[in-house]
Amino acid sequence: MTGFEIGLWSLGAILFLIYTGMHVAIALAIVSFFGIWILRDNPEQAARILSLAARESISSYLFGVVPLFVLMGLVVSRANIGRDTFDVATRFLGKLRGGLGISTVGANAIFASITGISIASAAVFTKIAVPEMMRAGHTARFSTGVVVGSSILGMLLPPSLLMILYGILAEQSVGALFIAGIGPGILVTIIFCVGIWLMVKYWSGFTGVAAVPETYDTTGFAAVREVTSKLSPIVILVGLVLGGLYGGIFTPTEAGAIGALGAIVIAFVKRRLTGKVLWQVTIETGHITAAICFLIIAATMYSRMLALTGLPSFLTEWIVSMDVGVYGFLMFYIAVLVLLGTILDSSSILLITVPLALPVAQSLGIDLIWFGMITILAVEIGLLTPPMGLSVFVVKGSLDDPSISLKDVFIGAAPFAVLMFIALMIIVMFPSISLGLL
């Protein structure tokens, strides 16, 4: 077989192994090893190439950012800061049409800016927001759909583990990706809020008719003190992490360290974190970090194998010769990402597609930071689509009400997948939304 044929067979083998239940990192590593073995006709050389890839892939100082942001996100989740943000958002937005849904989106956006993990947002707000929305009169489908949809902000607003992963794969600045994610994150938040308002007004059969919420005092001294107490930890953490990054004071790794330390101190001061819980969070951080590093090692092996097959070069020459242009390529690329989102998780999609798509994007002169924002948002749509829909499964698993079926959650998430696609098209048409702050 030619190198090109081996490359195509390797893609098919990876998708087959993942779909049959094999962990994506193991599938990538196995296929990469056998691919290089066939290419070089030497198993020892294949082992040496892959061992070198494993050593080089995570030896960078940049990898310190992974456990630090994971630790910060887990501490914030355990400290019930998600409930604090929901309470504050409800106090100010609850009186609007669809106010509880808009409050959930707003709180999730704030929570996302200090966690970076969509799954954490989905789990936290399922417990907090869904019961409140259903108690007010919203349907189960709408209530769960709002949580599933807004949970994707965890990966879109900085800090974001997907941005870190993309930055490593594409060799782009993680700090620049974080800053570039602010505009798209705000855009998606606004579109979700407007969409909820319109759905509640014109599609009451889907959303249900919510009772008028109680009036909250937002001007008295006690109210101001309560709001300040609940918002100040968030403001401090966002200021430390994003302010330090945007101001050029910290590198992404240093910002992660400052953010993790700040989250731990705030949680202890608010008496929401004990030594035992901190130890559990530390162990969980280690497990997540190990899994991410294994994924990155396997992705590096896969990239080396693809380079040897010549498949990326062939695809680049083929797409350029078709003269589809930047937007033709982006439409095809987005369609592939959304399609893969029906069967794979976000990290797996990035690991498989980015090494193939980057050479094409570079040959077309596409800004790789903007390309990263498009990639991440398209991949996140997959979190809402069946049959995989990871955020949907997390919400279903976190629900205390067994009468709400998985089908109900998927139906509830569908309008938000459409709203995300609208946001994605706007970002494609107006790159300045992503690149304006850089």
Side-chain angles (χ1 to χ4, degrees), residues 1-13 35 38-39 305-306 308-311 314:
M1 288 191 294
T2 64
F4 172 73
E5 291 171 333
I6 293 172
L8 287 179
W9 276 105
S10 70
L11 285 175
I38 295 170
L39 284 165
M305 187 270 295
L306 278 181
L308 290 174
T309 64
L311 182 59
F314 174 84

Side-chain angles (χ1 to χ4, degrees), residues 336-345 349 378-379 381-390:
V336 170
L337 292 178
V338 173
L339 181 63
L340 288 176
T342 64
I343 58 173
L344 299 175
D345 64 275
I349 298 169
V379 165
I381 294 175
L383 291 177
L384 314 185
T385 54
M388 188 66 188
L390 188 57

Side-chain angles (χ1 to χ4, degrees), residues 15-325:
L15 290 174
F16 173 77
L17 291 174
I18 293 172
Y19 199 66
T20 55
M22 182 176 288
H23 190 279
V24 61
I26 297 174
L28 287 170
I30 289 175
V31 172
S32 299
F33 174 76
F34 282 104
I36 296 177
W37 183 351
I38 295 170
L39 284 165
R40 291 290 187 262
D41 195 25
N42 188 332
E44 293 182 1
Q45 188 176 4
R48 283 197 299 271
I49 291 173
L50 297 184
S51 65
L52 183 63
R55 185 172 68 250
E56 292 179 351
S57 60
I58 58 170
S59 61
S60 171
Y61 167 75
L62 176 64
F63 279 89
V65 76
V66 175
L68 293 170
F69 277 117
V70 170
L71 176 61
M72 182 176 71
L74 292 176
V75 170
V76 165
S77 297
R78 295 294 180 92
N80 285 329
I81 291 178
R83 174 167 288 281
D84 288 348
T85 57
F86 181 74
D87 290 344
V88 172
T90 303
R91 184 180 292 272
F92 288 97
L93 303 173
K95 291 178 283 187
L96 299 174
R97 188 188 297 270
L100 283 176
I102 294 173
S103 299
T104 302
V105 173
N108 236 323
I110 297 171
F111 190 68
S113 65
I114 48 175
T115 55
I117 309 173
S118 292
I119 293 174
S121 299
V124 167
F125 284 93
T126 299
K127 299 288 188 181
I128 298 169
V130 171
E132 292 293 328
M133 293 180 68
M134 291 182 65
R135 192 177 299 118
H138 287 300
T139 64
R141 289 179 174 180
F142 177 68
S143 302
T144 54
V146 169
V147 173
V148 173
S150 58
S151 70
I152 63 94
L153 295 168
M155 288 297 191
L156 191 57
L157 281 163
S160 160
L161 287 181
L162 272 189
M163 289 183 190
I164 294 171
L165 183 56
Y166 174 84
I168 292 167
L169 292 173
E171 298 181 354
Q172 296 297 303
S173 165
V174 172
L177 287 166
F178 281 178
I179 295 169
I182 295 173
I186 293 173
L187 174 67
V188 173
T189 302
I190 293 172
I191 288 177
F192 276 175
C193 291
V194 173
I196 288 170
W197 188 88
L198 291 172
M199 280 189 276
V200 170
K201 184 175 182 178
Y202 296 109
W203 198 9
S204 59
F206 172 72
T207 65
V209 180
V212 178
E214 61 180 290
T215 302
Y216 295 100
D217 178 21
T218 58
T219 58
F221 176 75
V224 172
R225 184 176 62 182
E226 182 182 356
V227 169
T228 302
S229 171
K230 291 181 176 180
L231 274 186
S232 54
I234 302 162
V235 173
I236 291 170
L237 284 177
V238 171
L240 282 173
V241 176
L242 297 186
L245 275 173
Y246 192 75
I249 301 171
F250 305 135
T251 66
T253 305
E254 292 167 347
I258 293 293
L261 177 61
I264 292 170
V265 170
I266 288 170
F268 271 119
V269 169
K270 294 177 78 69
R271 297 181 180 178
R272 294 178 178 177
L273 190 68
T274 63
K276 181 180 180 181
V277 173
L278 180 59
W279 176 246
Q280 293 172 347
V281 167
T282 304
I283 292 174
E284 191 175 350
T285 300
H287 289 163
I288 294 173
T289 303
I292 292 172
C293 287
F294 190 25
L295 281 170
I296 293 170
I297 289 171
T300 305
M301 294 176 176
Y302 168 63
S303 298
R304 298 280 176 93
M305 187 270 295
L306 278 181
L308 290 174
T309 64
L311 182 59
S313 300
F314 174 84
L315 286 177
T316 301
E317 294 172 2
W318 178 58
I319 292 175
V320 170
S321 67
M322 289 176 64
D323 197 26
V324 294

Side-chain angles (χ1 to χ4, degrees), residues 330 334 337 370-379 424 427-428:
L330 287 177
I334 290 169
L337 292 178
W370 175 51
F371 188 66
M373 294 302 104
I374 293 171
T375 300
I376 290 169
L377 186 52
V379 165
L424 177 58
I427 291 168
V428 169

